[in-house]
Amino acid sequence: MAAQEAYNDLMTELFKYDKNPTIPTLSYIEQTSNYIETNYIYRFGEVWNGEGDGKESLYSESISPDNEHIIDFIVMEEDEDDILESKILITNITNIN
């Protein structure tokens, strides 16, 4: 129950600050959207640029797919067979420059 309450509190806070930029998705195969936006769930393969260790990037819950933005996320459902199919909730997108 405490986890659900924490999740609900987090979602309430996220919707207060929904003024983040959108950036194009990186996966053109089975993409769910053309742009990455906060407060939406995506497959990890739509956000990760393929550089570095994928599992490490997934577990870090923060990546920079284009060297212009930092994307913070929460892993909602990890796919142990294919990390690209893992479901993540985008919590913040920050411009680096």
Side-chain angles (χ1 to χ4, degrees), residues 10-23 35-42 72 89-94:
L10 173 64
M11 293 307 295
T12 300
E13 285 300 311
L14 290 175
F15 286 112
K16 288 181 186 176
Y17 304 103
D18 193 19
K19 297 177 182 160
N20 293 308
T22 60
I23 61 174
Y35 291 93
I36 299 167
E37 300 178 71
T38 58
N39 305 320
Y40 288 92
I41 295 176
Y42 296 88
D72 298 315
L89 171 68
I90 306 302
T91 58
N92 190 36
I93 300 173
T94 306

Tab-separated table of all heavy atoms in Angstrom, residues 10-23 35-42 72 89-94:
chain	number	residue	atom	x	y	z
A	10	LEU	N	3.993	10.770	-6.452
A	10	LEU	CA	4.920	11.100	-7.530
A	10	LEU	C	4.166	11.583	-8.764
A	10	LEU	O	4.523	12.601	-9.364
A	10	LEU	CB	5.776	9.881	-7.894
A	10	LEU	CG	6.677	10.037	-9.113
A	10	LEU	CD1	7.726	11.109	-8.877
A	10	LEU	CD2	7.325	8.719	-9.465
A	11	MET	N	3.118	10.879	-9.140
A	11	MET	CA	2.355	11.263	-10.322
A	11	MET	C	1.717	12.647	-10.137
A	11	MET	O	1.690	13.455	-11.061
A	11	MET	CB	1.276	10.223	-10.637
A	11	MET	CG	1.838	8.887	-11.070
A	11	MET	SD	3.007	9.004	-12.447
A	11	MET	CE	1.943	9.579	-13.732
A	12	THR	N	1.240	12.940	-8.939
A	12	THR	CA	0.659	14.255	-8.652
A	12	THR	C	1.710	15.342	-8.858
A	12	THR	O	1.440	16.375	-9.471
A	12	THR	CB	0.114	14.304	-7.210
A	12	THR	OG1	-0.893	13.306	-7.089
A	12	THR	CG2	-0.467	15.658	-6.885
A	13	GLU	N	2.913	15.110	-8.358
A	13	GLU	CA	3.989	16.087	-8.515
A	13	GLU	C	4.385	16.249	-9.985
A	13	GLU	O	4.638	17.350	-10.455
A	13	GLU	CB	5.215	15.682	-7.694
A	13	GLU	CG	5.066	15.905	-6.221
A	13	GLU	CD	4.812	17.369	-5.887
A	13	GLU	OE1	5.548	18.242	-6.386
A	13	GLU	OE2	3.853	17.633	-5.145
A	14	LEU	N	4.433	15.138	-10.715
A	14	LEU	CA	4.824	15.199	-12.128
A	14	LEU	C	3.874	16.058	-12.940
A	14	LEU	O	4.297	16.843	-13.789
A	14	LEU	CB	4.873	13.790	-12.727
A	14	LEU	CG	5.987	12.895	-12.244
A	14	LEU	CD1	5.828	11.501	-12.837
A	14	LEU	CD2	7.334	13.466	-12.593
A	15	PHE	N	2.601	15.921	-12.704
A	15	PHE	CA	1.628	16.662	-13.496
A	15	PHE	C	1.643	18.154	-13.188
A	15	PHE	O	1.182	18.946	-13.981
A	15	PHE	CB	0.232	16.073	-13.336
A	15	PHE	CG	0.073	14.778	-14.071
A	15	PHE	CD1	-0.089	13.592	-13.387
A	15	PHE	CD2	0.117	14.733	-15.450
A	15	PHE	CE1	-0.213	12.395	-14.062
A	15	PHE	CE2	-0.004	13.547	-16.135
A	15	PHE	CZ	-0.174	12.364	-15.444
A	16	LYS	N	2.211	18.542	-12.055
A	16	LYS	CA	2.330	19.962	-11.725
A	16	LYS	C	3.364	20.651	-12.620
A	16	LYS	O	3.282	21.838	-12.872
A	16	LYS	CB	2.768	20.153	-10.269
A	16	LYS	CG	1.711	19.843	-9.256
A	16	LYS	CD	2.284	20.115	-7.873
A	16	LYS	CE	1.330	19.698	-6.790
A	16	LYS	NZ	1.936	19.872	-5.453
A	17	TYR	N	4.364	19.902	-13.055
A	17	TYR	CA	5.495	20.478	-13.781
A	17	TYR	C	5.575	19.952	-15.205
A	17	TYR	O	6.639	19.660	-15.712
A	17	TYR	CB	6.795	20.175	-13.038
A	17	TYR	CG	6.779	20.649	-11.621
A	17	TYR	CD1	6.584	19.756	-10.577
A	17	TYR	CD2	6.912	21.993	-11.325
A	17	TYR	CE1	6.540	20.198	-9.265
A	17	TYR	CE2	6.874	22.439	-10.016
A	17	TYR	CZ	6.689	21.535	-8.994
A	17	TYR	OH	6.654	21.977	-7.711
A	18	ASP	N	4.489	19.851	-15.872
A	18	ASP	CA	4.459	19.295	-17.217
A	18	ASP	C	4.795	20.363	-18.253
A	18	ASP	O	4.028	20.662	-19.151
A	18	ASP	CB	3.090	18.671	-17.490
A	18	ASP	CG	3.097	17.811	-18.744
A	18	ASP	OD1	4.179	17.411	-19.183
A	18	ASP	OD2	2.013	17.575	-19.265
A	19	LYS	N	5.988	20.965	-18.129
A	19	LYS	CA	6.415	22.008	-19.050
A	19	LYS	C	7.751	21.642	-19.689
A	19	LYS	O	8.568	22.494	-19.982
A	19	LYS	CB	6.543	23.334	-18.306
A	19	LYS	CG	5.219	23.813	-17.755
A	19	LYS	CD	5.364	25.074	-16.978
A	19	LYS	CE	3.988	25.427	-16.431
A	19	LYS	NZ	4.029	26.332	-15.329
A	20	ASN	N	7.988	20.369	-19.870
A	20	ASN	CA	9.245	19.889	-20.416
A	20	ASN	C	9.191	19.812	-21.929
A	20	ASN	O	8.126	19.639	-22.510
A	20	ASN	CB	9.566	18.505	-19.839
A	20	ASN	CG	9.862	18.575	-18.369
A	20	ASN	OD1	10.686	19.365	-17.941
A	20	ASN	ND2	9.171	17.783	-17.593
A	21	PRO	N	10.339	19.889	-22.564
A	21	PRO	CA	10.364	19.772	-24.030
A	21	PRO	C	10.069	18.346	-24.470
A	21	PRO	O	10.137	17.421	-23.665
A	21	PRO	CB	11.813	20.139	-24.370
A	21	PRO	CG	12.591	19.784	-23.151
A	21	PRO	CD	11.668	20.046	-21.991
A	22	THR	N	9.723	18.192	-25.715
A	22	THR	CA	9.575	16.863	-26.296
A	22	THR	C	10.746	16.651	-27.234
A	22	THR	O	11.300	17.601	-27.784
A	22	THR	CB	8.257	16.722	-27.081
A	22	THR	OG1	8.250	17.677	-28.138
A	22	THR	CG2	7.057	16.920	-26.180
A	23	ILE	N	11.155	15.413	-27.412
A	23	ILE	CA	12.227	15.092	-28.353
A	23	ILE	C	11.794	13.890	-29.169
A	23	ILE	O	10.960	13.099	-28.726
A	23	ILE	CB	13.575	14.834	-27.641
A	23	ILE	CG1	13.485	13.658	-26.674
A	23	ILE	CG2	14.042	16.068	-26.906
A	23	ILE	CD1	14.817	13.290	-26.057
A	35	TYR	N	7.271	11.372	-30.661
A	35	TYR	CA	7.996	12.216	-29.718
A	35	TYR	C	7.945	11.641	-28.317
A	35	TYR	O	6.961	11.023	-27.931
A	35	TYR	CB	7.427	13.640	-29.705
A	35	TYR	CG	7.717	14.371	-30.972
A	35	TYR	CD1	6.807	14.368	-32.012
A	35	TYR	CD2	8.924	15.031	-31.154
A	35	TYR	CE1	7.085	15.019	-33.196
A	35	TYR	CE2	9.211	15.674	-32.334
A	35	TYR	CZ	8.283	15.671	-33.358
A	35	TYR	OH	8.574	16.305	-34.531
A	36	ILE	N	8.993	11.897	-27.564
A	36	ILE	CA	9.058	11.503	-26.167
A	36	ILE	C	8.569	12.676	-25.338
A	36	ILE	O	9.043	13.794	-25.499
A	36	ILE	CB	10.507	11.145	-25.775
A	36	ILE	CG1	10.998	9.964	-26.612
A	36	ILE	CG2	10.593	10.828	-24.283
A	36	ILE	CD1	12.486	9.737	-26.516
A	37	GLU	N	7.613	12.421	-24.463
A	37	GLU	CA	7.056	13.451	-23.601
A	37	GLU	C	7.020	12.935	-22.168
A	37	GLU	O	6.957	11.736	-21.941
A	37	GLU	CB	5.635	13.796	-24.027
A	37	GLU	CG	5.521	14.323	-25.439
A	37	GLU	CD	4.089	14.606	-25.811
A	37	GLU	OE1	3.534	15.583	-25.277
A	37	GLU	OE2	3.522	13.838	-26.598
A	38	THR	N	7.021	13.862	-21.217
A	38	THR	CA	6.921	13.455	-19.816
A	38	THR	C	5.534	12.901	-19.519
A	38	THR	O	4.568	13.212	-20.213
A	38	THR	CB	7.211	14.627	-18.862
A	38	THR	OG1	6.306	15.689	-19.135
A	38	THR	CG2	8.633	15.114	-19.004
A	39	ASN	N	5.495	12.075	-18.509
A	39	ASN	CA	4.259	11.473	-18.002
A	39	ASN	C	3.635	10.447	-18.943
A	39	ASN	O	2.447	10.160	-18.828
A	39	ASN	CB	3.225	12.543	-17.630
A	39	ASN	CG	3.781	13.542	-16.646
A	39	ASN	OD1	4.496	13.173	-15.728
A	39	ASN	ND2	3.485	14.809	-16.848
A	40	TYR	N	4.436	9.916	-19.856
A	40	TYR	CA	3.975	8.855	-20.745
A	40	TYR	C	4.911	7.663	-20.619
A	40	TYR	O	6.094	7.810	-20.295
A	40	TYR	CB	3.942	9.315	-22.213
A	40	TYR	CG	2.822	10.276	-22.487
A	40	TYR	CD1	3.031	11.648	-22.394
A	40	TYR	CD2	1.553	9.823	-22.831
A	40	TYR	CE1	1.997	12.545	-22.640
A	40	TYR	CE2	0.521	10.709	-23.082
A	40	TYR	CZ	0.759	12.061	-22.981
A	40	TYR	OH	-0.266	12.950	-23.218
A	41	ILE	N	4.382	6.493	-20.913
A	41	ILE	CA	5.166	5.267	-20.855
A	41	ILE	C	5.634	4.913	-22.264
A	41	ILE	O	4.859	4.955	-23.220
A	41	ILE	CB	4.343	4.119	-20.240
A	41	ILE	CG1	4.035	4.452	-18.779
A	41	ILE	CG2	5.086	2.787	-20.360
A	41	ILE	CD1	3.142	3.442	-18.083
A	42	TYR	N	6.919	4.570	-22.369
A	42	TYR	CA	7.539	4.184	-23.637
A	42	TYR	C	8.300	2.882	-23.436
A	42	TYR	O	8.599	2.486	-22.316
A	42	TYR	CB	8.543	5.255	-24.100
A	42	TYR	CG	7.892	6.571	-24.410
A	42	TYR	CD1	7.707	7.524	-23.422
A	42	TYR	CD2	7.451	6.861	-25.690
A	42	TYR	CE1	7.098	8.735	-23.697
A	42	TYR	CE2	6.845	8.067	-25.978
A	42	TYR	CZ	6.675	9.000	-24.980
A	42	TYR	OH	6.067	10.187	-25.252
A	72	ASP	N	14.960	11.614	-17.524
A	72	ASP	CA	14.812	10.854	-16.282
A	72	ASP	C	13.570	9.993	-16.418
A	72	ASP	O	12.559	10.435	-16.982
A	72	ASP	CB	14.658	11.795	-15.087
A	72	ASP	CG	15.883	12.674	-14.894
A	72	ASP	OD1	17.006	12.150	-14.963
A	72	ASP	OD2	15.700	13.882	-14.675
A	89	LEU	N	8.500	5.003	-17.566
A	89	LEU	CA	7.685	6.207	-17.448
A	89	LEU	C	8.631	7.397	-17.451
A	89	LEU	O	9.511	7.498	-16.588
A	89	LEU	CB	6.878	6.192	-16.149
A	89	LEU	CG	6.151	7.492	-15.795
A	89	LEU	CD1	5.028	7.767	-16.790
A	89	LEU	CD2	5.618	7.429	-14.377
A	90	ILE	N	8.476	8.301	-18.397
A	90	ILE	CA	9.325	9.488	-18.477
A	90	ILE	C	8.869	10.480	-17.416
A	90	ILE	O	7.714	10.897	-17.406
A	90	ILE	CB	9.252	10.135	-19.883
A	90	ILE	CG1	9.581	9.119	-20.980
A	90	ILE	CG2	10.175	11.357	-19.946
A	90	ILE	CD1	10.931	8.465	-20.879
A	91	THR	N	9.784	10.858	-16.524
A	91	THR	CA	9.438	11.770	-15.432
A	91	THR	C	9.943	13.188	-15.671
A	91	THR	O	9.383	14.137	-15.132
A	91	THR	CB	9.994	11.266	-14.094
A	91	THR	OG1	11.407	11.120	-14.194
A	91	THR	CG2	9.349	9.942	-13.705
A	92	ASN	N	10.993	13.332	-16.473
A	92	ASN	CA	11.547	14.672	-16.711
A	92	ASN	C	12.407	14.656	-17.960
A	92	ASN	O	13.101	13.681	-18.230
A	92	ASN	CB	12.373	15.112	-15.498
A	92	ASN	CG	12.759	16.561	-15.567
A	92	ASN	OD1	11.983	17.399	-16.042
A	92	ASN	ND2	13.935	16.896	-15.092
A	93	ILE	N	12.365	15.753	-18.703
A	93	ILE	CA	13.271	15.956	-19.842
A	93	ILE	C	13.903	17.321	-19.636
A	93	ILE	O	13.202	18.319	-19.524
A	93	ILE	CB	12.525	15.919	-21.180
A	93	ILE	CG1	11.827	14.572	-21.386
A	93	ILE	CG2	13.506	16.186	-22.337
A	93	ILE	CD1	10.923	14.517	-22.609
A	94	THR	N	15.230	17.341	-19.571
A	94	THR	CA	15.950	18.587	-19.324
A	94	THR	C	16.863	18.904	-20.492
A	94	THR	O	17.575	18.016	-20.980
A	94	THR	CB	16.813	18.441	-18.046
A	94	THR	OG1	15.991	18.009	-16.970
A	94	THR	CG2	17.480	19.745	-17.693
